[in-house]
Amino acid sequence: NTPTLNAATGALTWADPIAGNYTVSITATDAAGLATTQTYTLPVMVAPVYQPPQFTSTPQEESGVNQLYSYQVSATDTNGDPITFTLDPRYAQSGMTLTPDSTTPNTADLTWTPTVTGTFEIGIIAADSRGDQSEQTYNLVIVSTQPPTITSLPPAIATVGTQYSYS
């Protein structure tokens, strides 16, 4: 596994270099026998492996109607790149916001006050400065926060010796 010099073109190629520092000497000789040598150090480095951000927070998956839902989203990046968060527009609900946390790096605050019950899919995208990204999706169940109401009226009287029934 060594570099190859094409004598016709002068191109130096190395199919599969191994990491390290290599001294390269190239000598060019003309038809009259005059020669010159160029020597340099060629550093061969391992290409960095870039990974997308990884979420480190877990959302609460239930909240109440007309109550503020809040989730502090956080992620890390193995390459140390800063992370930005955005709502996946396919799942963003009206009034939902995702705001960067100015006091804690690589975090953001998701807030929403749902006005109806139901199950809502939420998607948050974490992206680093290199464009690598990952997504956290989950179902948020919104339940009623109101106690049940009784709409019927009971019979006004009960009679001795007769079964009383009210439904």
Side-chain angles (χ1 to χ4, degrees):
N1 184 12
T2 58
T4 304
L5 181 65
N6 182 318
T9 65
L12 179 69
T13 59
W14 194 352
D16 190 19
I18 298 170
N21 289 319
Y22 298 89
T23 301
V24 178
S25 291
I26 300 172
T27 301
T29 306
D30 65 14
L34 298 172
T36 188
T37 300
Q38 179 185 47
T39 301
Y40 62 96
T41 300
L42 176 63
V44 176
M45 300 168 35
V46 175
V49 177
Y50 297 114
Q51 298 290 326
Q54 298 297 312
F55 284 89
T56 56
S57 57
T58 303
Q60 182 174 338
E61 296 181 354
E62 185 175 294
S63 188
V65 71
N66 296 319
Q67 291 183 341
L68 177 65
Y69 172 76
S70 181
Y71 167 41
Q72 186 174 54
V73 183
S74 62
T76 60
D77 186 83
T78 57
N79 305 104
D81 298 325
I83 299 170
T84 56
F85 297 95
T86 55
L87 286 170
D88 186 325
R90 297 175 297 170
Y91 309 120
Q93 302 298 316
S94 178
M96 187 176 281
T97 62
L98 186 62
T99 308
D101 186 327
S102 60
T103 60
T104 309
N106 298 332
T107 62
D109 296 310
L110 172 70
T111 57
W112 181 43
T113 304
T115 57
V116 295
T117 60
T119 301
F120 301 89
E121 190 168 9
I122 308 297
I124 302 167
I125 299 168
D128 65 20
S129 57
R130 299 174 199 276
D132 296 318
Q133 64 183 35
S134 58
E135 184 165 5
Q136 181 181 64
T137 58
Y138 63 98
N139 288 323
L140 177 61
V141 178
I142 304 300
V143 297
S144 175
T145 56
Q146 298 298 317
T149 56
I150 300 172
T151 58
S152 62
L153 295 174
I157 342 178
T159 306
V160 174
T162 306
Q163 179 178 349
Y164 178 82
S165 176
Y166 171 47
S167 52

